[in-house]
Amino acid sequence: MRRRQDIPGLSICVAASGQILWAQGFGFADLENRQPVTLQSKFRIGSVSKSLTSLAVGRLVEDHRLDLDAPIQRYLPDFLPKQYPITARQLATHTAGIRHYRENDPIACPIRYPTVQAGLTIFSADSLMSPPGTAYHYSTYGYSLLSAVIEGASGTDYLTFMQQAVFDQLGMRSTGADYADSLVSHRVRFYEHRQGRLVNAALVDNSYKWAGGGLLSTPVDLVKAGCALFSGTFLRPSTTALLLHPQVLANGTNTAYGLGWRIGADAQRRRMVHHGGSIDGGRTFLLVYPGEKLVVAVTANMSGVRINLPEVETIAHFFLAPPR
């Protein structure tokens, strides 16, 4: 996979029932200085950040601090109402009608948004794409808005709540914000192919989308997040079932997307939940087989690489018992 696609660095971790079966880094975290990928190497995980954010939503629901079906103004009174009420459930399931990126959005340059609320100004004045609950529109901005709701419900900023309520609780010591203006230990360098050449990825600042695509992590940490779905010690089974329940639109269409997780099954009808992340200089995929308690995480430090569900399923099948 790495050599075929000329990926500088790749890292993989597989765990079953909370125990790591295989963890290994391949290639280079820093190609220029020939620094190898290690298990501590931190990669941009892109939209897999949404799956981690869903765990925070689950904690707030369990603690009765967040009502998924209340208008978001209960937690975010300064956010101007749209033509229809929006709920946290709709934000988490991409059914709120919030738009995704546009070419003229002020995100291409390294702009620092000092707070989650400041980042909302990119899209907050725009109309909804459809009435909430009637259509599926994948939206990282929806998760930016969800993170502001998390702040209102928790009484603290998003990154602090994630650290205290999720990362610390799960022992995810290598997960956090991708601060563009700071030194971050073990952060890999980021690459892309441009005109047939391997070059450094463009400088970006992901402060406008921490919750939807701005976090760094390692495969070892990501499998801990995946294991939290079935451990029974982090979230109650009923809460996990809530997160992994696919949203159904008003017309009866099943979106195959829960709260931060895509829902499916493999050829043997084993249930799978998963999410991928594509970002400047990175590609990540997290796959969970809840029934088999198997988790696979793969990260790469290059944009545009083919690490999708079929490739990660292939890895998982080496660790799955043959179907009866």
Side-chain angles (χ1 to χ4, degrees):
M1 183 189 300
R2 185 181 74 85
R3 290 174 179 168
R4 185 173 66 251
Q5 300 187 64
D6 193 26
I7 301 171
L10 188 75
S11 188
I12 300 173
C13 186
V14 181
S17 299
Q19 300 297 314
I20 292 178
L21 304 179
W22 177 39
Q24 189 171 351
F26 303 87
F28 296 99
D30 182 335
L31 189 60
E32 295 94 322
N33 296 298
R34 314 302 285 182
Q35 294 296 316
V37 171
T38 70
L39 298 185
Q40 291 74 43
S41 297
K42 299 175 185 176
F43 294 77
R44 285 178 177 158
I45 65 171
S47 287
V48 176
S49 302
K50 296 178 174 70
S51 300
L52 303 189
T53 297
S54 79
L55 300 181
V57 170
R59 293 307 301 265
L60 288 170
V61 169
E62 281 195 357
D63 293 341
H64 304 289
R65 300 166 74 183
L66 175 63
D67 181 344
L68 288 174
D69 298 313
I72 61 172
Q73 279 75 21
R74 176 183 296 184
Y75 310 101
L76 198 59
D78 292 337
F79 189 80
L80 293 179
K82 299 297 183 182
Q83 58 268 49
Y84 305 96
I86 297 172
T87 69
R89 186 191 303 270
Q90 291 162 345
L91 292 172
T93 57
H94 303 292
T95 60
I98 299 294
R99 71 173 178 86
H100 197 41
Y101 303 133
R102 290 178 182 164
E103 289 186 1
N104 61 348
D105 287 344
I107 59 176
C109 297
I111 299 172
R112 167 52 56 92
Y113 289 92
T115 64
V116 164
Q117 295 261 9
L120 302 184
T121 59
I122 298 170
F123 62 91
S124 59
D126 297 330
S127 299
L128 298 179
M129 298 183 68
S130 59
T134 65
Y136 175 90
H137 298 290
Y138 187 85
S139 173
T140 291
Y141 291 144
Y143 266 73
S144 296
L145 184 52
L146 179 62
S147 67
V149 172
I150 289 171
E151 292 188 337
S154 66
T156 188
D157 68 276
Y158 167 80
L159 290 174
T160 297
F161 186 73
M162 289 296 294
Q163 187 66 51
Q164 295 174 349
V166 180
F167 305 150
D168 287 347
Q169 298 300 315
L170 296 178
M172 298 173 66
R173 297 181 179 86
S174 296
T175 303
D178 181 20
Y179 289 113
D181 62 351
S182 303
L183 298 177
V184 178
S185 63
H186 302 292
R187 178 167 53 188
V188 301
R189 295 288 295 273
F190 306 109
Y191 302 97
E192 63 184 18
H193 272 123
R194 192 182 306 151
Q195 297 179 341
R197 296 174 53 239
L198 189 65
V199 298
N200 290 306
L203 178 64
V204 296
D205 190 307
N206 293 313
S207 55
Y208 68 94
K209 61 171 183 179
W210 296 134
L215 300 179
L216 296 169
S217 192
T218 68
V220 170
D221 268 13
L222 291 177
V223 299
K224 294 177 182 178
C227 289
L229 294 177
F230 51 73
S231 68
T233 59
F234 180 72
L235 295 173
R236 291 193 290 266
S238 59
T239 306
T240 297
L242 174 70
L243 299 182
L244 304 185
H245 182 73
Q247 184 74 10
V248 177
L249 301 178
N251 65 2
T253 300
N254 188 323
T255 65
Y257 195 99
L259 279 71
W261 298 89
R262 300 188 188 278
I263 317 298
D266 67 7
Q268 288 73 41
R269 298 185 179 179
R270 291 175 292 215
R271 192 182 191 210
M272 303 183 300
V273 298
H274 54 88
H275 216 295
S278 296
I279 192 168
D280 302 84
R283 173 63 177 163
T284 293
F285 207 95
L286 177 60
L287 170 62
V288 182
Y289 284 82
E292 291 70 25
K293 298 185 177 180
L294 184 79
V295 185
V296 183
V298 183
T299 57
N301 61 347
M302 192 174 81
S303 307
V305 299
R306 192 174 62 257
I307 301 175
N308 300 317
L309 183 57
E311 289 79 18
V312 183
E313 270 192 88
T314 299
I315 297 171
H317 288 171
F318 283 105
F319 299 90
L320 289 167
R324 296 181 179 179

